[in-house]
Amino acid sequence: MKISIIGAGYVGLVTGACFSKLGFPVTCVDLNQETVKRINEGEAPFYEPGLAELLAGQVKAGLFSATVDLRQAAQYSGVTFVCVGTPMAGDRQIDLSFIIKAIDELSEALKDKKDYHLVVMKSTVVPGTTEKMAERLWEMTGKGAGQVGFCMNPEFLREGSALADFLSPDRIVIGQSDAKAGDYLASLYETMPAQVLRTNLRTAELIKYASNTFFAMLISYSNEMARLAECIGDIDVIEVLSGLILDRRISPAAGGSILSPGLAAYLKAGCGYGGSCFPKDTNALRELSTKGYDYNPLLLDAVIAINERQIYHTVSLLYKEMDPRGKEIAVLGVAFKPDTEDIRESPAIKMIDRLLAGGAKVRICDPRALGPARKHWGERPGVSYCEDPGEALKGAHGAILVTSWPQFTCLEPEDFLKNMATPLLIDGRGVYDREKFSRAMNFRVIGYRPGSKNPA
Ligand code: UDX
Ligand code: UDX
């Protein structure tokens, strides 16, 4: 069974490389010539742990290739995964233009195809989209579900662990236009030891949004508790959340020990979530609710508002200590999280723009994401780029930890004291030892404020 994939981005390329590892010949289609060229040379066009090695091996084995020619790739495969970008449009709605373009090109390619073909939506699309795309393609090709089946198969890949997330999934969700399509897709995954959940197209679409908005909610919930802890004073939100997580309904006992759930990683206060998914998906679902169904999603509104406010609150902790005009501020981390070079919707973007607007000079420091950062801010007065934290801190009047890269979390007070002009550190991820750092320097952290002994 040959597979074609439209879109060689974080999701399409990982999906294609992994399916080829499972033994399927895969062709990835992308409109970006440079991307196609690099893939065919066995190179990954972006950093994702393990992807470059896997890709090189699969290209060499002749099981993986890339092309700009969607028509040929679709005609010579039995199934096509749609993995093009579904970014946030200006008004926070989902931008489906790339999806529609892919479906229209696919319609052209499948018009004369005789054999059955399966189209699988893997890009995150709001509920109802896949049905509309199926109708569109069937209309344009004069075919029906019996000849071109549709499935919706959401991805649950986290950047930084995408290969493992694909090859050892917790569950495989298959939304299907009909049983034949669902069976066909299920056969591709049959060697994977995961629970398969078969449902209809729109339920599969909403499962994806439910998953992402749930984890985004945990982060905003943690940040709500953090703000309360700061207001009251003398409360450490890390202790509050640890006390919550010990509940057996969150951390069940098993064989004498306590299981620590993965969701605990999202019950963490900080400067807010980012990435190409949480912001996009929380906003897309809210816009669908309000504009599509006249439903007012209060909880989604709060998740989004708390996250937005948290980003600016982190900068305000620095503003409370200094007038930023003309000051040198080191921003430690611009990737939206460690182990990725992706800065899409990273909290650092709004923080840096806020600091620049306040007249500060910003030194952007990140072990992997300086390339995308330079593309975003370019060479301009007031912005400099450093790989090494020591260099970023030298002579700086303040520092904000935004991304918990190990290169930053291993720093001790001395590293700040010996380099900075005025040792002020805002810990945006709650990674540093509060007592040690508070004793050594001017230190502020999300979710903790040494307070008066008798709260209001
Ligand atoms: C995308 C969606 O943004 C996300 O919502 C979904 O969950 C998975 O697919 P991602 O892989 O990160 O996520 O997208 P991106 O990194 O933007 O890659 C999209 C790729 O598609 C790019 O390489 C782009 O060149 C390519 N593309 C886009 C096409 O080949 N054709 C198009 O018409 C548009
Ligand atoms: C997310 C979902 O986890 C994944 O299932 C979906 O397919 C795509 O979107 P991703 O955005 O790559 O994956 O990263 P994730 O590790 O979930 O982090 C998302 C946000 O949560 C980041 O902004 C990160 O800062 C934050 N986060 C993540 C935390 O605050 N704490 C953590 O321990 C992990």
Side-chain angles (χ1 to χ4, degrees):
M1 162 66 60
K2 287 193 171 62
I3 294 175
S4 53
I5 309 245
I6 307 177
Y10 280 90
V11 175
L13 195 50
V14 168
T15 298
C18 290
F19 267 128
S20 78
K21 182 179 168 68
L22 296 177
F24 298 97
V26 175
T27 304
C28 239
V29 181
D30 202 290
L31 51 65
N32 183 319
Q33 303 258 5
E34 182 54 26
T35 298
V36 167
K37 179 170 172 291
R38 289 182 68 181
I39 292 171
N40 286 330
E41 287 162 0
E43 262 185 62
F46 52 79
Y47 174 69
E48 173 62 35
L51 181 62
E53 298 78 359
L54 175 59
L55 208 52
Q58 295 307 109
V59 168
K60 197 159 167 233
L63 270 173
F64 192 92
S65 65
T67 176
V68 292
D69 185 347
L70 187 151
R71 182 187 187 84
Q72 192 192 36
Q75 283 173 342
Y76 286 99
S77 62
V79 53
T80 300
F81 285 81
V82 179
C83 298
V84 293
T86 51
M88 203 163 18
D91 56 356
R92 294 165 177 259
Q93 295 223 25
I94 189 170
D95 173 2
L96 292 174
S97 60
F98 299 132
I99 295 283
I100 291 165
K101 179 167 159 284
I103 290 293
D104 290 354
E105 290 177 32
L106 209 41
S107 302
E108 267 312 298
L110 299 177
K111 210 180 269 180
D112 310 329
K113 183 165 181 183
K114 298 281 174 289
D115 302 340
Y116 178 80
H117 196 91
L118 177 64
V119 178
V120 183
M121 186 66 74
K122 199 170 248 304
S123 288
T124 302
V125 291
V126 290
T129 303
T130 307
E131 286 163 54
K132 287 188 191 125
M133 293 303 117
E135 293 302 335
R136 188 182 178 97
L137 182 139
W138 289 330
E139 179 75 25
M140 291 173 82
T141 56
K143 296 175 186 278
Q147 296 146 295
V148 182
F150 269 79
C151 281
M152 202 279 147
N153 175 219
E155 50 88 12
F156 298 102
L157 308 180
R158 290 163 298 166
E159 290 183 32
S161 57
L163 297 188
D165 288 344
F166 186 95
L167 293 169
S168 326
D170 305 327
R171 73 296 205 194
I172 291 161
V173 172
I174 296 179
Q176 58 195 40
S177 57
D178 56 276
K180 179 177 174 185
D183 292 346
Y184 198 146
L185 179 58
S187 70
L188 300 185
Y189 288 110
E190 65 192 1
T191 58
M192 286 196 184
Q195 183 143 5
V196 178
L197 194 160
R198 299 275 294 259
T199 183
N200 64 26
L201 295 172
R202 56 181 65 181
T203 303
E205 288 162 332
L206 191 55
I207 288 172
K208 170 66 186 175
Y209 280 93
S211 175
N212 275 3
T213 53
F214 173 75
F215 287 108
M217 176 191 71
L218 292 183
I219 293 169
S220 284
Y221 168 80
S222 304
N223 284 327
E224 181 99 301
M225 292 303 114
R227 294 298 302 276
L228 266 173
E230 287 176 32
C231 293
I232 300 165
D234 226 7
I235 297 178
D236 185 340
V237 73
I238 290 183
E239 290 178 20
V240 172
L241 295 170
S242 304
L244 160 67
I245 289 167
L246 284 173
D247 187 305
R248 73 174 63 149
R249 290 166 293 184
I250 299 175
S251 308
S257 61
I258 292 183
L259 287 180
S260 172
L263 67 76
Y266 294 81
L267 281 168
K268 254 191 215 157
C271 50
Y273 59 76
S276 68
C277 293
F278 282 14
K280 161 175 73 72
D281 296 349
T282 46
N283 278 289
L285 197 58
R286 177 178 64 176
E287 293 309 301
L288 178 80
S289 309
T290 50
K291 298 201 168 69
Y293 299 97
D294 196 21
Y295 167 70
N296 186 6
L298 295 173
L299 182 58
L300 283 176
D301 278 339
V303 169
I304 293 164
I306 291 170
N307 196 61
E308 192 72 7
R309 184 176 64 181
Q310 196 67 358
I311 293 170
Y312 294 110
H313 171 64
T314 307
V315 178
S316 72
L317 290 177
L318 181 124
Y319 282 12
K320 283 194 182 112
E321 305 300 318
M322 69 158 64
D323 175 345
R325 258 188 299 277
K327 298 289 191 328
E328 297 278 352
I329 308 296
V331 173
L332 301 182
V334 67
F336 83 90
K337 66 171 186 174
D339 246 356
T340 181
E341 64 186 20
D342 196 349
I343 70 168
R344 288 180 286 185
E345 296 296 318
S346 168
I349 294 178
K350 287 178 178 156
M351 285 186 199
I352 290 166
D353 289 345
R354 172 60 63 90
L355 288 165
L356 293 172
K361 294 182 185 124
V362 178
R363 301 154 175 206
I364 301 174
C365 181
D366 193 289
R368 273 209 178 277
L370 286 187
R374 284 184 196 281
K375 263 199 209 127
H376 184 85
W377 284 283
E379 303 303 331
R380 68 168 80 169
V383 176
S384 56
Y385 304 93
C386 330
E387 276 213 16
D388 172 62
E391 184 196 337
L393 293 171
K394 200 160 262 345
H397 303 94
I400 305 183
L401 176 92
V402 180
T403 313
S404 42
W405 284 103
Q407 294 85 334
F408 304 145
T409 56
C410 68
L411 297 175
E412 292 296 333
E414 300 68 54
D415 298 304
F416 296 90
L417 292 167
K418 74 184 178 195
N419 283 306
M420 296 179 76
T422 48
L424 164 64
L425 171 60
I426 310 297
D427 179 358
R429 290 287 176 199
V431 295
Y432 295 114
D433 180 300
R434 287 111 159 75
E435 301 308 320
K436 181 164 52 166
F437 275 76
S438 302
R439 272 199 309 277
M441 60 196 289
N442 193 356
F443 175 75
R444 292 288 174 276
V445 59
I446 295 282
Y448 174 70
R449 176 176 62 79
S452 55
K453 283 303 168 210
N454 50 340

